[in-house]
Amino acid sequence: MSTIARTLPVQNGRTGKTGKRHYGTHIFLIVMAAIWLVPLLWSLYTALRPKEDTDKYGYFSFGGSFGFENFVQAWNQGGFSKYFLNSVLITVPTVLLTLLFASMMAFAVSRVSWKFNITLLIMFTAGNLLPPQVLAAPLFEMFKHVSLPYSISDSGNLLNTYIAVIIVDTAFQIGFCTFVLSNYMKALPQDLTEAALVDGAGIWRQYWNIIMPLCRPALAALGTLQVIFIYNDFFWPLLFIQSGDRLPITTAINNLQGQFLSNYNLIAAGAMITLIPTMIIYLVLQRQFVAGLTLGASKG
């Protein structure tokens, strides 16, 4: 018995006490989780109730029936199938281009020694601090004067096209992705590229065949974050796209607004439908999403 007692960890003067409980941390996390979850759960609760019941009992009540009629009506009235396709046409190319260009830039500033690598990294990082609204008017005017064939754009310029939204979203996301990927690439052993250089591998082969395969965890985490960021973007598509049938799914809720009266149960159902794709992506790629929140935080 004495042998067992001697092997147990001793902390705070007590045998077998492995550590103190962090009650304050747990209470803080519970409160923060409730702050985030209560509006979401209340929106879902409102979406499941008919408008007649909320008019009768009030929104902050628990009486009445429940059903999915609001979801069916919102799907049909809002045209979510069409708008979801629009979001896919914007999100997928933007994420792929962002990761490609950011990985190239991160490789240049982290694995290649030249006098402007730190300067460029600072410039890309500083670009994330610029509010998008500051560039709204200049970008709109610039895109209006960029001529395109009518076979590509029915407006004759970049306005009212997916290309404009893809360009701007890519440009604004490259800075964040470059910063994260550069920190990740700096943590990789320098001997890898030095050995490849001795074997005659050029810059492109070092980047594509050696560094990029090792960055798959970082790319998966960033890809998950970028899909959620760009899918939820509302500002740029609304600014550059004038045709209602080309807008992404985040703008489909506008179709559920009445001219004189708004059905908030229907709007809540539309918001829940909009949320479903991002929830699926998060649940499927939860590990990569959580890793993306702290990716590069301890590197550099």
Side-chain angles (χ1 to χ4, degrees):
M1 185 68 181
S2 59
T3 303
I4 298 176
R6 285 196 300 270
T7 60
L8 293 175
V10 179
Q11 296 184 8
N12 298 330
R14 292 186 179 182
T15 301
K17 185 70 173 179
T18 58
K20 60 182 180 180
R21 299 182 181 273
H22 300 280
Y23 292 108
T25 303
H26 294 163
I27 294 174
F28 173 77
L29 293 176
I30 291 173
V31 171
M32 294 303 297
I35 292 175
W36 281 98
L37 288 176
V38 166
L40 176 64
L41 295 177
W42 194 263
S43 298
L44 178 61
Y45 174 73
T46 302
L48 292 172
R49 302 180 69 190
K51 185 177 184 301
E52 294 76 14
D53 290 343
T54 54
D55 290 340
K56 180 179 180 180
Y57 300 104
Y59 283 96
F60 298 96
S61 62
F62 297 96
S65 59
F66 300 92
F68 294 93
E69 293 81 7
N70 288 324
F71 288 90
V72 176
Q73 182 180 351
W75 179 270
N76 295 327
Q77 180 177 333
F80 280 90
S81 57
K82 176 180 63 180
Y83 289 102
F84 176 73
L85 178 60
N86 296 340
S87 291
V88 172
L89 294 175
I90 294 174
T91 303
V92 174
T94 304
V95 172
L96 294 178
L97 290 174
T98 300
L99 295 181
L100 176 63
F101 294 148
S103 63
M104 290 180 178
M105 193 64 219
F107 179 84
V109 300
S110 64
R111 310 296 297 187
V112 180
S113 297
W114 55 309
K115 60 181 179 179
F116 293 112
N117 53 358
I118 301 298
T119 303
L120 284 176
L121 181 60
I122 293 175
M123 290 178 58
F124 273 84
T125 305
N128 293 323
L129 305 178
L130 188 66
Q133 294 79 4
V134 175
L135 297 177
L139 285 174
F140 187 89
E141 289 297 321
M142 183 176 66
F143 287 172
K144 186 171 67 174
H145 291 89
V146 176
S147 300
L148 289 178
Y150 284 98
S151 58
I152 299 176
S153 171
D154 54 8
S155 63
N157 51 47
L158 276 174
L159 295 180
N160 203 31
T161 63
Y162 299 130
I163 301 175
V165 182
I166 292 173
I167 290 174
V168 175
D169 277 335
T170 302
F172 270 90
Q173 296 299 327
I174 281 180
F176 168 73
C177 294
T178 299
F179 174 75
V180 174
L181 285 174
S182 63
N183 286 337
Y184 189 88
M185 291 182 182
K186 287 178 183 177
L188 299 176
Q190 195 70 28
D191 298 340
L192 293 173
T193 50
E194 292 178 355
L197 184 61
V198 172
D199 291 338
I203 292 294
W204 175 258
R205 189 162 187 178
Q206 295 176 33
Y207 160 77
W208 189 256
N209 295 107
I210 298 175
I211 299 300
M212 286 299 286
L214 297 176
C215 291
R216 287 175 182 172
L219 292 173
L222 277 177
T224 306
L225 291 171
Q226 289 302 308
V227 167
I228 295 175
F229 292 161
I230 297 170
Y231 174 87
N232 290 326
D233 182 31
F234 180 81
F235 178 72
W236 294 120
L238 199 62
L239 177 65
F240 294 129
I241 298 179
Q242 287 83 40
S243 297
D245 58 346
R246 298 180 186 176
L247 291 170
I249 195 171
T250 49
T251 62
I253 300 179
N254 290 333
N255 297 335
L256 306 179
Q257 293 275 5
Q259 183 176 2
F260 302 105
L261 183 65
S262 296
N263 185 345
Y264 294 106
N265 302 70
L266 190 64
I267 295 174
M272 291 296 102
I273 293 175
T274 305
L275 181 65
I276 290 175
T278 55
M279 289 296 296
I280 293 176
I281 293 173
Y282 172 75
L283 293 176
V284 173
L285 302 174
Q286 182 178 6
R287 182 175 300 177
Q288 287 83 356
F289 181 83
V290 175
L293 298 177
T294 56
L295 194 61
S298 59
K299 308 275 194 308

